[in-house]
Amino acid sequence: MALAVTACAACATTGEVPTRATVDSGIRSRTNLGIRVEGTEPLPPQVLLDDGLTADEAVAIALWNSPSFQATLAELGIARADVVEAGLLRNPIFSLLFPIGPKQLEWTLQFPLDVLWQRPKRVAAAQLNARVVGERLVWDGLTLVAQTRAAHADAVIAERRLQLTIENADLVQRLAQITEARLRAGDISELEARAARSDAARVQVVRRAAEHDRDLFRVTLAALLGLDVAVDQVRPLASAVLDVESCGTEAARLEDALAARPDVRAAEIGVEAAAQRARWERSRVLTLIGILDSNGSGQNFELGPGVNVDVPIFARNQGAIGRAEADIERAGHQYAAVRAQVVADVRSSSVRVRQAGQVIAAWRDEIVPSLEVEQRQAESAYQAGEIPLFALLDVSRRLVDGRTRLLDAEADLRRATIALERSMGRSCRTP
């Protein structure tokens, strides 16, 4: 019994379980940005809000400070506690019977000997579960990276949309001034001039709505970053759209995703963990308790060992073993489902990137330049009295609509490239 206690105590360790440093390494290797391993500073080193906020800086702050992600990282402590719990030994039971009357003093010491073959399997299963948690947290970090880049892109697009609205307001105001001049000259009627004034008032309403949208997206971004700052302190800076050629071909993207995505690795380890839990459940068929019994008094003292065996005739842990075997089957199907989802994510995001690239090329290279030329020609014709006001306003509206569609196409392309990186499980900006 002493040897058994010594052997079990010697292997009472938590083993290799993931820590914040492990999660930091997994995220950093895929994005070149990491989490806060220690400390309480809200901003990572060398990140300032005064000079504007780039997309990489926003991601760094989110990984460093996001309250929801920090709460998720607390699961590391739970996983570690489960490993510690799996490695603990059951306390020996000491029984003492007092000598009263003719009865002798008697005591027994019982120690579970089945721990010798059950504990290693239980600890191995807990360690594998902890590794699953670690891989899943890395995937949660990559999801946070994608969410932050999308929120930053939305804030940048909202700012660009506001600038476009301001430019449109200036254009409509200039048209209104031309209209008033022509009204004073008697070239147009009051009805035509009123239409120009109404259009100018409408554009001012749209401008105020765009300002509110910009502030709302900035608030959303600040909340995602875990920053309690004023709206004007969050000034997202535009960045170049990712060149998807750096992500390789679609076949290479799919290969990278199946090799690099943490959720795939977590599903693989989940199958192994389920198998290890099944081994542990099968080892629980036999329960063996070692007994050290002593009784007597004076020279009649007696001491001897014994065992207490739970004879597995009726109950052989069939239910737990059956559940463990079913869990192996479920883990296998989950792994297959994750791989299928990876394939779907990579292919769908690749299609979205191609489609968004074609749309933005059409609006940027053909449609908007043509509308700008048409706008200049129409304005000159209106000043010369060759076309009515409604014709000029129609051209102006189509130009604004074209620029808006171009901005929407750019937003779609940014979101598609962000989704592509997430589907691959790594950043294309990281070699």
Side-chain angles (χ1 to χ4, degrees):
M1 184 179 295
L3 291 175
V5 173
T6 304
C8 290
C11 59
T13 176
T14 57
E16 292 295 329
V17 297
T19 62
R20 292 178 73 98
T22 308
V23 177
D24 173 75
S25 177
I27 297 176
R28 193 178 295 275
S29 64
R30 293 169 171 87
T31 65
N32 217 20
L33 297 168
I35 68 173
R36 181 176 59 201
V37 178
E38 57 184 14
T40 58
E41 299 83 1
L43 296 178
Q46 301 178 348
V47 173
L48 300 175
L49 297 178
D50 298 338
D51 58 349
L53 188 66
T54 65
D56 287 340
E57 289 176 334
V59 170
I61 295 174
L63 291 173
W64 193 271
N65 194 58
S66 171
S68 59
F69 187 56
Q70 294 300 319
T72 304
L73 287 174
E75 295 183 17
L76 288 170
I78 299 174
R80 188 174 186 85
D82 289 341
V83 174
V84 172
E85 180 69 21
L88 292 179
L89 305 177
R90 282 186 290 169
N91 293 321
I93 300 176
F94 178 73
S95 302
L96 180 62
L97 302 177
F98 297 101
I100 299 178
K103 186 182 183 306
Q104 295 177 328
L105 176 67
E106 182 178 358
W107 62 264
T108 60
L109 183 64
Q110 302 180 34
F111 182 80
L113 297 179
D114 51 23
V115 72
L116 295 175
W117 61 84
Q118 290 184 12
R119 180 182 179 277
K121 298 179 178 62
R122 187 172 69 242
V123 171
Q127 289 176 343
L128 288 172
N129 286 333
R131 290 176 58 191
V132 171
V133 172
E135 294 293 340
R136 184 168 54 79
L137 288 177
V138 174
W139 178 241
D140 290 342
L142 297 181
T143 300
L144 176 62
V145 170
Q147 292 174 342
T148 303
R149 290 194 182 278
H152 183 275
D154 289 340
V156 170
I157 293 298
E159 180 68 32
R160 294 269 304 278
R161 198 180 302 277
L162 174 60
Q163 295 301 321
L164 180 60
T165 304
I166 293 175
E167 294 176 6
N168 183 44
D170 294 340
L171 173 62
V172 174
Q173 185 63 34
R174 187 169 69 251
L175 292 178
Q177 293 173 355
I178 296 174
T179 302
E180 294 296 335
R182 293 192 63 195
L183 176 63
R184 290 191 297 269
D187 295 336
I188 60 175
S189 65
E190 176 65 25
L191 179 62
E192 196 170 0
R194 187 176 297 277
R197 299 189 196 106
S198 300
D199 202 52
R202 179 189 61 81
V203 170
Q204 291 301 323
V205 174
V206 174
R207 174 178 177 174
R208 287 192 292 271
E211 290 176 348
H212 294 319
D213 290 341
R214 177 201 60 185
D215 294 343
L216 178 61
F217 281 113
R218 287 186 177 185
V219 169
T220 302
L221 178 60
L224 184 62
L225 303 183
L227 298 178
D228 186 12
V229 296
V231 173
D232 56 356
Q233 291 183 269
V234 181
R235 294 184 294 107
L237 301 178
S239 58
V241 179
L242 174 68
D243 182 11
V244 295
E245 296 298 329
S246 61
C247 297
T249 63
E250 184 172 333
R253 297 169 191 170
L254 184 57
E255 183 179 356
D256 283 349
L258 293 174
R261 274 183 54 159
D263 55 338
V264 176
R265 182 56 182 156
E268 292 175 351
I269 300 174
V271 176
E272 188 178 353
Q276 190 62 52
R277 285 193 298 271
R279 297 188 190 100
W280 172 47
E281 294 295 349
R282 295 189 189 100
S283 71
R284 298 177 63 191
V285 173
L286 180 64
T287 300
L288 181 62
I289 305 295
I291 302 175
L292 185 63
D293 178 75
S294 174
N295 59 70
S297 61
Q299 295 182 352
N300 296 324
F301 180 77
E302 299 175 354
L303 179 67
V307 293
N308 187 348
V309 182
D310 185 6
V311 182
I313 297 178
F314 303 107
R316 296 186 300 276
N317 202 29
Q318 298 98 320
I321 293 174
R323 286 194 296 270
E325 292 175 348
D327 196 33
I328 294 176
E329 182 181 1
R330 180 177 62 179
H333 290 309
Q334 287 177 340
Y335 173 65
V338 170
R339 288 182 62 90
Q341 186 62 49
V342 168
V343 174
D345 289 345
V346 172
R347 289 177 176 173
S348 62
S349 58
S350 298
V351 171
R352 289 177 56 193
V353 167
R354 286 198 301 270
Q355 181 182 10
Q358 293 171 357
V359 172
I360 195 174
W363 285 102
R364 180 189 60 220
D365 302 333
E366 301 177 14
I367 303 176
V368 172
S370 177
L371 290 173
E372 289 174 345
V373 173
E374 186 178 355
Q375 164 67 26
R376 290 193 295 269
Q377 293 174 346
E379 187 172 342
S380 299
Y382 176 70
Q383 288 179 330
E386 298 175 357
I387 61 173
L389 177 62
F390 72 86
L392 176 58
L393 293 178
D394 181 65
V395 173
S396 301
R397 289 191 184 95
R398 287 194 286 117
L399 174 60
V400 171
D401 180 69
R403 289 174 174 173
T404 303
R405 295 293 182 87
L406 175 60
L407 190 60
D408 292 339
E410 181 181 337
D412 291 340
L413 181 59
R414 288 181 180 274
R415 297 189 189 99
T417 55
I418 292 170
L420 176 62
E421 287 185 309
R422 181 178 182 272
S423 70
M424 293 174 56
R426 68 172 182 86
S427 173
C428 297
R429 303 168 178 85
T430 303

